[in-house]
Amino acid sequence: MFGRLGRSAVRHPWLTILAWVIVAIGTAAVAPPLKPVSDQADFLPSHYESVQAAKLQERAFPQQEQPASVMVFRRADGGRLTEADLADVEEVAAGLEKAGLEKIGKVQTGPQAVSPNGEIALASIIATTKDPYNAELVASVGKMRQEAKPLLEDTSLRMGITGAAATALDTKESSGDTDAMIMMATLVLIVVLLAVIFRSPLIAVLPVLVIALVFVVATGLISITAEAGGFQADASIGSILIVVLFGVGTDYILFLLFRYREFLRQGREPKDAMGEAVARVGETIASAAGAVIVAFLALLLSSLGMLRALGPSLAISVAVTLVAALTLVPAIFSLLGAKAFWPSKAWRREPRHTLAARTGALTARRPGAVAAASGGLLAVLASGVFALNPVFDSTGSLPKDLESVQAMRELERGFSAGQTDPTRVFLEAEDGGRLEQGQIAAYRKELAAAGFGQVTPAVLGPGGDVAQFGVVLEHKPDSDQAIELVSGPLRDAAHDAAPQGTRALVGGTSAVLADIEHATHRDYAVVFPAAGIAIMVILGLLLRSLVAPWHLMLAVGLGFVATLGSTVWLFQNLLGETGLSFTLPVIVYLFVVAIGTDYNILMVARLREEVRSGSDPARAVRQAIVHSASTIGTAAVILAGTFGVLLLARNSLLQQMGFAVAFGILLTAFVMALLLVPAVTTLLGHRTWWPGRPTPDPAPQPAPGPQAHEPALTPRG
């Protein structure tokens, strides 16, 4: 099938290219724009209490105004605020309210906003949108900081803005233009590495152009499918798509080009060489893509909408990349023929793979030692995972010199850390009844007696059936302490104190994060095993074996845990971070497990091919490592380098993500795919392919590769 597909593209190259251009233009023209989704509560299933609380709040208090951010005032000398200072606070707040900034409705302050120690005064920024992460609102907070400077000049005050919108602004500015940084790093790495390896400007540039075309088609199909299918696809998916498309796209193109060059060296005509290359590696590429697609689609089993939104989008992008690799790439290179390698002539000669040959020879000669050493290294790194502490505190990852971080620190001098975002407790009368004042007063008294923090006076809804209380915790809303407190003791106390005939619901940021934490743990137990089983099925179909998929998936699982453990060793143990982002296991799953499995599939498929050609297990391993090392190494370095750029960000969450994925990809490629998997396959011998046994392939075989004495890992031409 793959041979017919490749030869069809080779025979009709202009028609194939034209079809792709038409599809790209058509999807770009008709695709609706992707819409941003930022409210994490929207991503949770409706049975979670925080979601029910949010819906109750929206029904009972539709006009209620919530501060999007908070202005924190203090004296420059750190002393108590005077009457003149408080008058200046009101004047500054009034001046900023009159500035007419987009999405800013009011700036409120007053005597009640002064701390008990008299050192801190607050002014609430009330937005005209309920979304504190609205782009226009976030931009207005930035403008407000500038507008405040002249208003503060003749006062003794210093002012900083913190809270959700301000933190979002600082997070964006501290991480820089991440999309642009990732795109530029990816382009530079692909172009430079391909130019060095193939010594050809055409081969260095063409994959970038192909993937750019695929990006247009994929994003268009994602938005069209999202509109027609009703699933959410967040506009922020762009940066992830860039990495996925360039990662898997470069992998598949390299898989094809290295085999294409191998056949050209045998003296075949370019069109015949490309058709044969597609026939040989088409199944491998399709299997690798299938494994990635099912891994992404497994996210549909998640209870979190933010993960369910990723699944179909990423699966569509990989499917488009697969089709392009099997049609568009062969069409382009069949037109160019050997001119694709211009001006280099070194491609005509078989490179000397010294390091790869020695590695293959060692693995074939001492498979037990290689398996023990590589597996032992992964196990040692994996041990760090026992100390993993998932954290939800996004502000803790920000540089300490940012205004929102400093303003929060100043706020905590006079108020509890939860002042900017109290936990909200709702008391609702059941069966359409109304709350009595005695019930409300008694409930507030019991809630306050529980000792979780200051309980604000009740606000009764217009219908008289819902009362809202605010519990100001001593901890930041997204801190581990606040989440643990809200998820257990506070919710238990709120529920137990509810009078007969009423029910209590706990909502707010801490409650949402507590529910996300619960949903995340549930998803880890469902999504990862489901993806593993699906990938094993694909591997079994590719290899016609019941044994090989098991040791491959065990290796992948070990690599996954080793990646997380390595990140714990670096960031928690060496750099002293309190923990790693709770999203990190999912990120490692997406990019290390899903995409990194490509390298295992390429290696084991080549092993099977060598066995089918009549090689014994030891020779098959030597040949497979020699022929695959350059492809795997190049693809891994490009993908790892792309994520490694994130280590330059000032945000520690981005640094964690950059290190984890970059290091995990390198582990997968150089330790797992090139050492552990071949060594275990050698130890198992022909049992690897049970219940079948690869039979000789009647198709013409490539000329024997270099022997163990031939010297250089990376092809130079």
Side-chain angles (χ1 to χ4, degrees), residues 308-321:
R308 289 199 307 274
L310 277 177
S313 300
L314 296 179
I316 289 170
S317 68
V318 175
V320 174
T321 308

Side-chain angles (χ1 to χ4, degrees), residues 13 41 45 76 79 175 238 319 334 337 388 394 427 437 484 533 616 635:
S175 61
S334 68
L388 174 63
S394 58
L427 185 66
Q437 287 298 325
E484 183 178 354
I533 292 171
D616 60 80

Side-chain angles (χ1 to χ4, degrees), residues 172-541:
K172 179 181 178 181
E173 292 181 348
S174 70
S175 61
D177 194 340
T178 304
D179 286 6
M181 183 169 60
I182 291 176
M183 175 67 83
M184 184 58 64
T186 304
L187 293 177
V188 170
L189 280 166
I190 291 175
V191 171
V192 170
L193 284 174
L194 292 180
V196 169
I197 293 167
F198 291 97
R199 295 181 181 178
S200 165
L202 280 175
I203 291 183
V205 173
L206 279 175
V208 174
L209 298 179
V210 168
I211 296 169
L213 185 64
V214 170
F215 180 82
V216 173
V217 175
T219 51
L221 288 178
I222 289 168
S223 59
I224 292 171
T225 308
E227 188 81 9
F231 72 86
Q232 285 184 320
D234 195 349
S236 65
I237 199 175
S239 59
I240 298 179
L241 280 182
I242 290 171
V243 177
V244 169
L245 288 174
F246 276 102
V248 300
T250 304
D251 282 358
Y252 302 160
I253 291 173
L254 287 174
F255 291 179
L256 195 60
L257 282 184
F258 275 106
R259 186 55 71 93
Y260 173 54
R261 188 176 65 177
E262 187 178 323
F263 289 133
L264 285 178
R265 284 174 177 151
Q266 296 176 15
R268 298 194 184 194
E269 291 298 317
K271 288 185 179 294
D272 178 55
M274 179 55 76
E276 185 65 21
V278 176
R280 288 303 182 89
V281 299
E283 186 179 23
T284 301
I285 293 174
S287 299
V292 177
I293 289 170
V294 299
F296 288 158
L297 288 180
L299 294 175
L300 289 171
L301 300 175
S302 170
S303 59
L304 290 173
M306 61 182 177
L307 298 184
R308 289 199 307 274
L310 277 177
S313 300
L314 296 179
I316 289 170
S317 68
V318 175
V320 174
T321 308
L322 168 63
V323 177
L326 298 179
T327 58
L328 181 59
V329 174
I332 293 173
F333 280 92
S334 68
L335 284 175
L336 294 172
K339 296 184 181 68
F341 299 96
W342 179 89
S344 173
K345 296 181 180 180
W347 66 270
R348 301 174 187 272
R349 300 185 301 273
E350 183 71 37
R352 303 180 64 180
H353 304 276
T354 303
L355 183 56
R358 289 175 180 172
T359 302
L362 176 63
T363 304
R365 189 173 65 253
R366 303 284 302 276
V370 172
S374 55
L377 173 62
L378 294 176
V380 169
L381 295 175
S383 64
V385 81
F386 293 109
L388 174 63
N389 177 37
V391 296
F392 292 78
D393 183 3
S394 58
T395 60
S397 65
L398 297 176
K400 306 306 179 188
D401 60 345
L402 294 179
E403 182 174 322
S404 60
V405 177
Q406 293 180 337
M408 176 58 73
R409 191 181 304 120
E410 294 295 338
L411 182 148
E412 292 174 12
R413 285 176 46 199
F415 295 93
S416 298
Q419 183 72 36
T420 59
D421 191 1
T423 295
R424 307 203 174 275
V425 179
F426 298 90
L427 185 66
E428 179 186 25
E430 296 180 324
D431 301 325
R434 296 174 63 89
L435 293 173
E436 300 176 1
Q437 287 298 325
Q439 288 179 312
I440 296 173
Y443 186 74
R444 179 175 182 244
K445 184 177 180 181
E446 286 199 44
L447 203 58
F452 298 115
Q454 176 190 353
V455 180
T456 62
V459 177
L460 189 62
D465 59 336
V466 180
Q468 175 183 282
F469 306 85
V471 181
V472 181
L473 304 178
E474 295 181 0
H475 313 290
K476 289 190 296 184
D478 55 2
S479 66
D480 291 347
Q481 298 93 326
I483 294 170
E484 183 178 354
L485 188 65
V486 169
S487 64
L490 196 154
R491 273 182 171 162
D492 291 342
H495 298 160
D496 293 342
Q500 187 173 359
T502 68
R503 68 162 183 163
L505 295 174
V506 179
T509 299
S510 300
V512 169
L513 293 177
D515 290 340
I516 288 178
E517 181 178 38
H518 181 274
T520 301
H521 291 159
R522 175 263 177 200
D523 289 350
Y524 290 165
V526 173
V527 174
F528 292 173
I533 292 171
I535 293 174
M536 284 183 66
V537 171
I538 289 176
L539 290 172
L541 294 174

Side-chain angles (χ1 to χ4, degrees), residues 359-375 617-618 621 625 675-685:
T359 302
L362 176 63
T363 304
R365 189 173 65 253
R366 303 284 302 276
V370 172
S374 55
V621 164
I625 291 177
L675 294 175
L676 182 60
V677 168
V680 173
T681 302
T682 305
L683 289 172
L684 292 174

